[in-house]
Amino acid sequence: MSAVTLDDRLGTRWKKPPLISNSTLRWGLMIGALIYLVLAIASLDVNWARVAEGLSRGWAFVTSFFNPDFVSRGSDIWDGILESVIITITSTIVGIAISIPIGLGAARNIAPLPIYLICRGIVALSRALNEIIVAILLVAIFGFGPLAGFLTLSFATIGFLSKLLAEDIEEMSKVQAEAIRATGASWLQWINYGVQPQVMPRLIGLSMYRLDINFRESAVLGLVGAGGIGATLNTAFDRYEFDTAAAILLIIIVTVMVLEYLSGIIRAKVQ
């Protein structure tokens, strides 16, 4: 900046420059965005009478959280929670067991190209399909029940964990791995002593994170017939038993918070 320009600006308040310097283009984009927003809102087909009717139900649902009913359908809630816990734990364990070899194969720095492409294809397929879509498909194949939920969450765990594990392996330090390889170790020994110690804390943390995701997802999958507490929750909503629905949601929230707390403790222990 020249001395003249600096002298001109001394004593004047600094003003942040606009994101788009051309004022015509800037105002044109803002007006265009505003027109699009107005047209988009106007295109919505809203039944205001139904909205007004639903507001009272919504308020009843909100107030039910102050008086949740854990007793009236206590046995159903307990059965649903137990089924969700079983689905969550089994699907997480199976998903992790399958994810580890796929994650190793999907890491470009340790896997040959054909295996890398196959494993990356499996990861991409798992991540491309939403859990709800997979659950609906599996319910159509295997029928209503926890088996569809177990298979859905195992499938989702593979895509989630394999991708993050592969990325962690690709970013690991090469020094330790090369040092183990230089000793003449076999491939399994190289993975066990050169790779595994570097990614194990991250793998445990991700596994705990996936565990609480699977518990939350098991509640959602129950809405489409894949078992778990979601089926009980869906029944409560269908019967307008908001106090029971509130009790189920509170149990889910508390369980997820406990899992999150345990996850933090375990991650701190292994790191």
Side-chain angles (χ1 to χ4, degrees):
M1 182 179 294
S2 66
V4 176
T5 306
L6 180 61
D7 290 338
D8 291 341
R9 293 193 176 184
L10 284 176
T12 59
R13 187 177 180 181
W14 180 81
K15 186 178 180 182
K16 182 181 178 181
L19 181 63
I20 301 174
S21 57
N22 188 320
S23 60
T24 303
L25 177 61
R26 183 171 66 250
W27 282 104
L29 290 174
M30 292 174 65
I31 293 172
L34 184 61
I35 292 173
Y36 173 80
L37 181 64
V38 171
L39 293 176
I41 293 175
S43 67
L44 296 177
D45 185 16
V46 182
N47 185 340
W48 292 107
R50 183 169 181 175
V51 171
E53 190 179 323
L55 285 176
S56 60
R57 294 200 196 102
W59 179 246
F61 177 62
V62 172
T63 55
S64 66
F65 277 90
F66 298 102
N67 188 28
D69 183 5
F70 294 92
V71 178
S72 299
R73 294 173 57 83
S75 61
D76 293 336
I77 294 175
W78 170 250
D79 291 342
I81 290 291
L82 187 62
E83 194 169 84
S84 277
V85 169
I86 293 172
I87 292 174
T88 300
I89 294 176
T90 53
S91 63
T92 304
I93 292 173
V94 171
I96 291 171
I98 300 175
S99 297
I100 291 174
I102 295 178
L104 291 171
R108 186 65 189 96
N109 56 338
I110 66 171
L113 183 59
I115 294 178
Y116 169 78
L117 293 176
I118 293 172
C119 292
R120 279 289 173 179
I122 296 172
V123 172
L125 177 64
S126 173
R127 290 174 53 79
L129 299 175
N130 184 272
E131 284 92 338
I132 296 293
I133 297 174
V134 177
I136 292 172
L137 176 63
L138 292 176
V139 165
I141 296 174
F142 297 103
F144 294 104
L147 178 61
F150 161 73
L151 293 174
T152 300
L153 294 179
S154 299
F155 183 70
T157 301
I158 292 170
F160 173 85
L161 210 61
S162 298
K163 175 179 169 53
L164 296 178
L165 177 61
E167 290 178 352
D168 210 32
I169 294 173
E170 289 175 345
E171 294 174 359
M172 70 177 184
S173 169
K174 296 180 181 178
V175 177
Q176 182 175 345
E178 291 301 325
I180 298 297
R181 189 193 290 271
T183 64
S186 65
W187 187 84
L188 282 176
Q189 290 172 327
W190 176 56
I191 293 295
N192 191 30
Y193 296 107
V195 177
Q196 179 263 124
Q198 299 191 58
V199 300
M200 183 55 76
R202 172 85 165 151
L203 177 62
I204 292 174
L206 290 173
S207 300
M208 293 300 299
Y209 181 49
R210 187 64 213 185
L211 182 70
D212 90 59
I213 290 178
N214 282 350
F215 185 77
R216 281 183 279 127
E217 291 293 336
S218 72
V220 177
L221 298 182
L223 301 177
V224 295
I229 190 61
T232 312
L233 181 63
N234 193 32
T235 304
F237 276 124
D238 288 342
R239 297 178 178 177
Y240 297 106
E241 297 174 347
F242 294 137
D243 47 0
T244 301
I248 294 171
L249 291 176
L250 287 173
I251 291 172
I252 293 173
I253 292 170
V254 170
T255 305
V256 170
M257 289 176 67
V258 170
L259 287 174
E260 178 66 24
Y261 180 68
L262 291 176
S263 171
I265 293 176
I266 294 173
R267 280 201 301 268
K269 292 287 184 184
V270 299
Q271 285 177 349

